[in-house]
Amino acid sequence: MRLPVLSVTSHPGWMGLLAGLFGVLALRLPLFAIPAAALVALPVLRAGLLPGGIAWLVGTAVVAGGWYGLGLPPGQIVPLVFLLWPVVVPMAEMLRRSGELQLPLLMAGAAMLAGVLAMHGITGDVVAFWQAWLRRALEGMPGGAAGTLDVGGGLRLINGFLTLLFGLGLLLSLLLARWLQARMGGRERLSGEFRRLALPRWVLPLAVALVWAGGLWDAMLLADILMVGILVYAFVGLAVIHGVIEVRGRPQGWALPAYILLAFFPPQALAVLALVGAVDTFAHFRVQQPRRG
């Protein structure tokens, strides 16, 4: 069934306006950045870069107006959508051209890696940078507790965690845009593309080499690059689970335990899914096996 609202707003200008409104909402509730990015990616998936560029420009103008009127939350430098849109647009174009999620996933991983390297190269000490950033953010809040801020513990993980959220936002935005495109007609179901998701063999040794090189430079850089690899291969691992279920003729509801684990034990679930995705590079779990007997 077609979505009536999306049928009315099929013009890229209207899509950009709607994306901009979600982007303004994201100034206060960051989760709204995902539909904002999806609505800019959608015209790209449907008709290419020109309509996507129109939606991007209109959305940027709307968010800039909201930025001027509402300001930004304490500690935030630019609206979140200004980070997502420049990456999700070429990801959507690659998906439109190839019809596969492989290249967009690699592009998301490359964007995450570039962000990690830029943060380490520019700041020199990411822990000190995030400590100062968090102190400024807390000072801008009523009753902020900047004076009790401790450098230990979670601050050592914040750079990798935010990198993971950035990559997750990119991938969820693209998947949402593809789902919306399918609902509007003219596309196969997203589930088929997702179940086929796999990475070339050369990606795994490259990822291992990057993690190893990061460890030679700094333990924090190693952890951040490892976070990039975990998210990329976790998406592949999730696709493997859905693909194996399809090959064996089981209902897709059999994948529900994986999502329950992701909800309640995200670090452990991501690590296990990443391991499954990495091993699938050579094991090919989704290949149809002959029945016995």
Side-chain angles (χ1 to χ4, degrees), residues 72-143:
L72 292 172
Q76 191 171 321
I77 301 174
V78 296
L80 295 178
V81 291
F82 286 1
L83 302 177
L84 294 178
W85 285 341
V87 184
V88 80
V89 165
M91 286 173 61
E93 176 64 10
M94 283 297 153
L95 179 55
R96 184 183 72 87
R97 290 174 178 268
S98 67
E100 300 291 341
L101 289 167
Q102 181 187 99
L103 285 177
L105 178 60
L106 291 175
M107 292 177 69
M112 294 168 65
L113 179 62
V116 165
L117 296 177
M119 284 295 299
H120 282 266
I122 294 172
T123 66
D125 186 343
V126 291
V127 174
F129 171 83
W130 288 116
Q131 182 188 27
W133 175 87
L134 189 57
R135 179 175 286 110
R136 291 194 302 270
L138 291 175
E139 287 174 349
M141 297 179 181

Side-chain angles (χ1 to χ4, degrees), residues 105-106 108-110 112-113 116 157 160-161 163-168 171 194 197 199 203-204 206-212 219-240 262 265-279 281:
L105 178 60
L106 291 175
M112 294 168 65
L113 179 62
V116 165
L157 303 175
F161 179 69
T163 300
L164 187 147
L165 289 181
F166 172 63
L168 190 62
L171 294 169
F194 184 67
L197 175 60
L199 294 179
V203 176
L204 185 58
L206 176 62
V208 172
L210 287 171
V211 171
W212 176 77
M220 291 295 301
L221 181 58
L222 180 152
D224 291 348
I225 296 177
L226 182 62
M227 194 73 75
V228 174
I230 286 175
L231 180 64
V232 169
Y233 275 101
F235 259 81
V236 178
L238 202 56
V240 168
L262 280 171
F265 307 101
Q268 296 85 347
L270 283 172
V272 172
L273 288 172
L275 179 61
V276 171
V279 173
T281 302

Side-chain angles (χ1 to χ4, degrees), residues 183-204:
R183 293 299 300 269
M184 296 174 71
R187 280 296 312 173
E188 66 171 312
R189 294 178 63 186
L190 170 65
S191 57
E193 289 177 340
F194 184 67
R195 288 195 295 265
R196 294 194 303 268
L197 175 60
L199 294 179
R201 288 190 174 186
W202 58 265
V203 176
L204 185 58

